[in-house]
Amino acid sequence: MHTVKNWFSHSLAGQALVVFVLGMGFSAVFRRNDHPGLWVVQSLLYSVVIIGVLAAQRRRTARATGADPRTVVSLNRRIRHGEVPRDPEERAMMRRLVDDQLGKMERGGRWLPYWLGFMGLSAVGMLVLGATTGSLVFPLVFTVAVAAFCLWILWMRRRAMEIHHHMRSALRDPS
């Protein structure tokens, strides 16, 4: 399992395969009446767009840290596990990566209340529509799912910020 997980985290081809299969599945479920060839074309289009965005993000992060994309993946794993490298060059790359990711999270935090508010409004809108049509089961499930998703986003953001702040302070201390 460990090698498969590493392959997916290091390989854009593995990630493209997962996106393609998931896209096919969603197309098959939500577009049952369409031709299966259309499912393949749509899934391929989704895969190309998503992998293009991922590759651009990887390149940008690699340039910001001064490391190749494989090293960035390895450094991210070490950040998640709280491992501080002993090599000064690797410490400098990790410090730049931590600073880059903290900057992204802090900039993204400005828009977080608006996104959460939009999600809350859509959940309330679904409840209102359900109340007017007389069917509350789906709107209640949707509202609970949106609330759980919003809480999960807040928890993951807080956890990631704590990990990155801890790593920033650990990388500054010469030990």
Side-chain angles (χ1 to χ4, degrees), residues 14-160:
Q15 294 169 3
L17 179 67
V18 170
V19 170
F20 180 76
V21 170
L22 286 174
M24 283 283 291
F26 281 118
S27 293
V29 168
F30 292 115
R31 297 178 177 258
R32 286 188 201 126
N33 298 333
D34 290 347
H35 190 272
L38 187 60
W39 301 344
V40 173
V41 170
Q42 286 175 337
S43 184
L44 189 63
L45 179 67
Y46 301 151
S47 299
V48 167
V49 169
I50 289 172
I51 295 303
V53 169
L54 285 176
Q57 285 179 341
R58 273 187 169 189
R59 240 187 337 269
R60 185 196 164 283
T61 302
R63 269 186 275 139
T65 60
D68 63 301
R70 286 192 176 278
T71 306
V72 170
V73 171
S74 173
L75 289 174
N76 272 326
R77 186 197 61 74
R78 292 178 80 178
I79 288 170
R80 283 191 311 271
H81 292 273
E83 300 171 7
V84 178
R86 297 202 186 283
D87 180 34
E89 185 177 316
E90 205 171 355
R91 282 176 78 97
M93 281 189 288
M94 186 180 275
R95 189 177 311 117
R96 287 190 298 265
L97 179 62
V98 166
D99 290 339
D100 181 56
Q101 290 178 346
L102 267 174
K104 285 179 187 175
M105 284 188 272
E106 288 166 354
R107 284 190 304 273
R110 286 183 274 161
W111 289 98
L112 187 63
Y114 300 109
W115 282 110
L116 294 176
F118 173 73
M119 292 171 73
L121 282 175
S122 65
V124 168
M126 285 294 288
L127 277 175
V128 169
L129 284 173
T132 58
T133 61
S135 173
L136 280 176
V137 175
F138 177 72
L140 283 174
V141 169
F142 180 78
T143 302
V144 169
V146 166
F149 184 66
C150 289
L151 290 173
W152 178 76
I153 287 172
L154 291 172
W155 177 73
M156 287 299 292
R157 183 178 189 283
R158 184 180 56 86
R159 184 172 168 253

